[in-house]
Amino acid sequence: AEHQHARYNPLRDDWVLVSAHRVKRPWQGQLEKPPPEDVPRWDPNNPLCPGATRANGEVNPQYEGTFVFPNDFPALQPDAPEPGDSDHPLFQAAAARGVCKVMCFHPWSDLTLPLMSLAEIRAVIDAWAELAAELGASYPWVQIFENKGAMMGCSNPHPHCQVWASSFLPNEARLEDRTQRQHLSQHGVPMLLEYAEQEARRKERLVVENENWLAVVPYWATWPYQTLLLPRRHVCRLQDLHEGERDSLASIMQRLLIKYDNLFEVSFPYSMGWHGAPTGPYLEEDCGHWQLHAHYYPPLLRSATVRKFMVGYEMLAQAQRDLTPEQAAERLRSLPEVHYKQKAK
């Protein structure tokens, strides 16, 4: 807890430098602007609102729940041409095709997931699972991810996420596929199933848990208050969750995200995403080495205005953090599960 050391991340096959004493140093660097508290519930100029006109001229329906539509500026398109043959092994290119969708969680712009009801969060989970199954019928990888807050690149203040389906396995997917496959081969049990059992027993990095799920600050966490959301049962894909697991997922997500917001009493920014077994052609293969999980990567370190920057040593050598995962977990665990905005009311 007081001295620097390195920790191994078996999921990524890399290391993180833990330098807990550095959190005591004075900060004279950049201060971020806190997110606005006066977001209007409906704004005709916000392209994610019901009835608003998007950049391509399409008008959103007056939706009342979740709403999915094709990304107007997709990073992947289904009909991209082949890049052509390479004339040298150092200059390789490959085809990259896919589709990109946007999913609004709720019609109101002034809400975020921790402020939504359990039924509304459950509807989001069901929509995630439906999209994962629909796009996964043909695409090898379906990445569901949420960038929350302007600090994480979110350009529209509205509760939403993105879903990108690709004709290839992205880098992180290929890496996790390899490490989980190796672990099952060597130890006879899926890595993250074994890890969840260990963390449930040890408790020191546990943030919240229920009968089907647990959220921990992983032993190898890189970001200050990074968490890993894990099912207790062996589940390969989001669409494989049964009714009870989806209900309890809505509950544990709400509890975790309320704690995030309560940490600095601000709408907590993060990037999160689901990782599960590949789909498309992989649906016919044995993917039992995979365990479904969600990563949460929040940047805030000391306050609502001081963030962790991945620069210098992190970019040129290896990841480094300024407080131990155990310290981060204890702080999150001790926070109330009533949102600070609701408590004020």
Side-chain angles (χ1 to χ4, degrees):
E2 296 294 331
H3 302 285
Q4 68 269 14
H5 60 280
R7 297 192 184 192
Y8 180 62
N9 181 346
L11 193 58
R12 300 198 73 259
D13 189 24
D14 64 10
W15 293 78
V16 58
L17 175 63
V18 182
S19 309
H21 55 286
R22 276 171 52 87
V23 79
K24 300 175 183 178
R25 77 191 194 280
W27 180 258
Q28 295 180 330
Q30 178 172 321
L31 298 179
E32 307 293 334
K33 290 182 178 180
E37 295 283 349
D38 56 348
V39 175
R41 179 156 292 182
W42 184 83
D43 181 353
N45 296 316
N46 186 331
L48 300 182
C49 283
T53 302
R54 304 203 306 273
N56 63 356
E58 292 195 21
V59 178
N60 295 334
Q62 294 291 341
Y63 65 92
E64 297 181 353
T66 60
F67 169 52
V68 179
F69 62 93
N71 194 313
D72 297 327
F73 302 97
L76 292 164
Q77 295 177 324
D79 53 358
E82 293 282 345
D85 296 331
S86 171
D87 61 356
H88 193 281
L90 293 179
F91 301 91
Q92 296 187 47
R97 301 184 179 94
V99 295
C100 299
K101 294 181 180 289
V102 176
M103 186 180 114
C104 296
F105 298 155
H106 196 281
W108 295 355
S109 294
D110 58 343
L111 282 188
T112 55
L113 278 171
L115 292 169
M116 289 166 53
S117 71
L118 288 177
E120 290 166 340
I121 299 173
R122 169 61 197 267
V124 169
I125 293 166
D126 287 339
W128 281 342
E130 184 178 341
L131 275 173
E134 174 192 331
L135 297 174
S138 54
Y139 286 103
W141 190 256
V142 180
Q143 184 58 64
I144 298 169
F145 65 97
E146 179 193 4
N147 294 325
K148 179 171 179 262
M151 195 182 298
M152 300 309 292
C154 180
S155 56
N156 294 299
H158 192 94
H160 72 286
C161 73
Q162 298 190 54
V163 184
W164 294 11
S166 61
S167 62
F168 55 91
L169 288 187
N171 294 341
E172 293 296 312
R174 286 191 290 109
L175 182 56
E176 289 193 2
D177 184 71
R178 174 176 64 82
T179 57
Q180 290 181 96
R181 188 184 299 274
Q182 288 176 346
H183 187 92
L184 180 63
S185 175
Q186 294 170 4
H187 303 281
V189 61
M191 178 199 294
L192 292 180
L193 182 63
E194 181 179 10
Y195 179 68
E197 292 170 349
Q198 286 288 322
E199 290 288 32
R201 180 173 61 82
R202 295 170 185 255
K203 305 290 186 187
E204 59 187 330
R205 285 170 294 274
L206 189 66
V207 179
V208 286
E209 64 177 330
N210 60 27
E211 67 274 20
N212 294 311
W213 297 86
L214 66 156
V216 301
V217 177
Y219 177 81
W220 52 79
T222 299
W223 294 92
Y225 292 96
Q226 176 180 335
T227 54
L228 185 63
L229 184 55
L230 295 161
R232 296 182 186 270
R233 179 176 70 91
H234 185 204
V235 183
C236 288
R237 299 178 178 94
L238 194 61
Q239 53 267 43
D240 298 334
L241 296 174
H242 59 58
E243 293 292 312
E245 287 168 332
R246 295 185 185 198
D247 286 338
S248 58
L249 174 56
S251 174
I252 201 167
M253 281 176 54
Q254 185 187 62
R255 293 168 62 199
L256 173 64
L257 298 180
I258 284 175
K259 284 180 178 288
Y260 269 164
D261 280 10
N262 284 345
L263 180 60
F264 299 127
E265 295 199 345
V266 69
S267 184
F268 207 68
Y270 58 74
S271 283
M272 70 80 64
W274 286 99
H275 281 173
T279 49
Y282 295 91
L283 292 170
E284 304 301 321
E285 298 184 8
D286 181 4
C287 291
H289 54 291
W290 269 90
Q291 175 74 332
L292 176 70
H293 57 282
H295 296 283
Y296 284 84
Y297 298 133
L300 294 180
L301 173 59
R302 299 170 181 234
S303 69
T305 60
V306 177
R307 69 180 299 183
K308 166 71 176 179
F309 287 92
M310 291 293 178
V311 295
Y313 189 86
E314 290 89 353
M315 295 176 68
L316 297 165
Q318 73 179 36
Q320 180 270 333
R321 60 178 292 119
D322 291 347
L323 76 165
T324 68
E326 293 77 24
Q327 291 166 338
E330 182 180 10
R331 187 165 183 189
L332 287 173
R333 189 168 53 243
S334 66
L335 291 166
E337 295 187 8
V338 176
H339 199 278
Y340 72 93
K341 288 185 176 181
Q342 295 170 330
K343 186 176 180 181
K345 290 181 181 179

